[in-house]
């Protein structure tokens, strides 16, 4: 390997100006992502606002329906991954290799671990909306289609996919939404103290 052959290095062995710029830009982006992690509601409100702006843009331009359809399929795929457990219980039924969800009342409680965590779901959905918004600025992506067919096909796919997911959730008894730690009710305090 000769001098300057490695990625991002200039002839003198130091990183090039372009490489340093994009590295720094990536660090700033990651810093903003890290700072936004605890603000779940704000993140989702911004994403819903972006999707609303996208819908208004598509409505006003009266085009880019195929981009909207692709975005809908992508978001549906993300949502299904968000609802699914990391380890599929149907695959774990026959083997005892790893952890499984409890199926009986006397089994130990194991928390639901998602295949796609909430933060990655939000991040991917936001990036998808921004990519779709960018596509609406290019006429090449404005493929003429009869949009009612796409809407009906998307609704049909959504219903079939969600029906299958709900049946899977019922069959293997898991709920993808939990609200904090379970609280157990103990014995009531009668207020008497022990005197020695």
């Amino acid at each position: 390997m000769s001098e300057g052959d490695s990625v991002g290095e200039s002839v003198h062995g130091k990183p090039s100006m372009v490489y340093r710029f994009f590295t720094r830009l990536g660090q700033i982006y990651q810093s903003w992502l890290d700072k936004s992690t605890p603000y779940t509601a704000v993140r989702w409100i911004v994403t819903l606002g972006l999707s609303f702006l996208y819908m208004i843009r598509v409505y006003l331009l009266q085009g880019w329906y195929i981009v909207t359809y692709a975005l809908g399929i992508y978001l549906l795929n993300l949502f299904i991954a968000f609802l699914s457990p990391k380890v599929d219980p149907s695959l774990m039924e026959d083997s005892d290799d790893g952890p499984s969800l409890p199926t009986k009342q006397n089994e130990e409680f194991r928390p639901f671990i998602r295949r796609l965590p909430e933060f990655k779901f939000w991040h991917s959905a936001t990036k998808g909306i921004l990519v779709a918004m960018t596509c609406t600025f290019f006429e090449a992506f404005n493929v003429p289609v009869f949009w009612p067919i796409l809407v009906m096909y998307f609704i049909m796919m959504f219903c079939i996919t969600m029906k299958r997911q709900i049946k899977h959730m019922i069959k293997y008894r898991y709920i993808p939404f939990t609200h904090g730690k379970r609280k157990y009710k103990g014995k009531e305090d009668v207020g008497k103290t022990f005197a020695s």
Side-chain angles (χ1 to χ4, degrees), residues 57 70 125:
R57 180 164 173 77

Side-chain angles (χ1 to χ4, degrees), residues 89-96:
S90 63
L91 299 175
M92 298 303 293
E93 211 170 53
D94 299 331
S95 65
D96 294 329

